[in-house]
Amino acid sequence: MIRLISLLLALSSPAFAAEPPTLSGRASVIDGDTIDLHGTRIRLHGIDAPESGQRCQDAKSKSWRCGQKAAWALDHAIDRQRVTCRITDKDRYDRLIGTCSVGDTDLNGWMVQNGWAVAYRKYSNDYTAHERYAQNAELGLWQGSFVRPDKWRNGARLEAHTPVRAAPLSGN
């Protein structure tokens, strides 16, 4: 608890801009773009993964649980190893925002490059090249059709009888 209070104070200090604080330890996966470290939720910076209840369609229009699969992929990438997160901000839900890694692997980039999340251009362009790679290789979500997670949260859904190929990169 003391470490969390120190971290929150650091986020509000002028020195924060010069050297962002870090948290590290064993992480629990909440979903494809959120982890828990020491009881603190951390949203992965610059990426947006499908929601837990979100479904996608494969190349043959078969429905699959892409939100659950994205969370599983992140859990598999972490594989009970120590996670280090460089905290860069706090969101409107009081979650910390960070770039997290296991060893030399940037988990944020890994999720997008493997097709389990998309670049969240509303907040960052850091992972657009990773997204292009996954889209071109038809990895993860890009193997078929899906609704971008931000649009899904706003009520958009795939029509079962009219599969739409995942939209190519164009803005948000």
Side-chain angles (χ1 to χ4, degrees):
M1 185 64 161
I2 292 171
R3 187 169 183 193
L4 177 60
I5 292 169
S6 299
L7 179 64
L8 293 174
L9 289 172
L11 285 172
S12 60
S13 77
F16 171 68
E19 188 173 324
T22 61
L23 277 179
S24 62
R26 190 165 177 179
S28 298
V29 172
I30 304 302
D31 60 27
D33 54 28
T34 309
I35 62 171
D36 183 284
L37 268 178
H38 309 295
T40 302
R41 295 262 167 121
I42 301 173
R43 174 80 158 75
L44 300 182
H45 160 77
I47 76 170
D48 200 12
E51 297 300 317
S52 296
Q54 188 170 345
R55 297 183 74 83
C56 298
Q57 293 177 349
D58 65 16
K60 295 180 181 177
S61 300
K62 182 179 177 192
S63 179
W64 59 288
R65 296 173 185 250
C66 53
Q68 287 181 347
K69 187 81 170 178
W72 177 85
L74 180 57
D75 190 58
H76 183 71
I78 293 171
D79 194 28
R80 296 185 298 274
Q81 298 175 78
R82 182 178 189 80
V83 174
T84 300
C85 296
R86 185 176 46 88
I87 306 303
T88 56
D89 207 350
K90 198 165 131 179
D91 71 10
R92 64 182 178 193
Y93 305 108
D94 273 346
R95 292 177 299 193
L96 299 177
I97 306 293
T99 302
C100 300
S101 60
V102 168
D104 293 333
T105 302
D106 171 359
L107 293 170
N108 308 40
W110 186 92
M111 286 295 289
V112 177
Q113 187 161 336
N114 285 282
W116 299 117
V118 295
Y120 206 176
R121 288 176 189 75
K122 179 177 179 181
Y123 298 104
S124 169
N125 287 315
D126 291 351
Y127 300 105
T128 55
H130 296 74
E131 184 176 295
R132 271 191 300 279
Y133 175 86
Q135 183 180 16
N136 290 336
E138 297 181 355
L139 299 174
L141 304 171
W142 300 101
Q143 68 179 286
S145 303
F146 68 97
V147 174
R148 291 184 83 84
D150 60 327
K151 294 185 185 330
W152 191 89
R153 286 190 297 275
N154 287 323
R157 301 292 185 267
L158 283 174
E159 295 294 328
H161 62 281
T162 325
V164 179
R165 182 76 180 137
L169 297 176
S170 59
N172 282 337

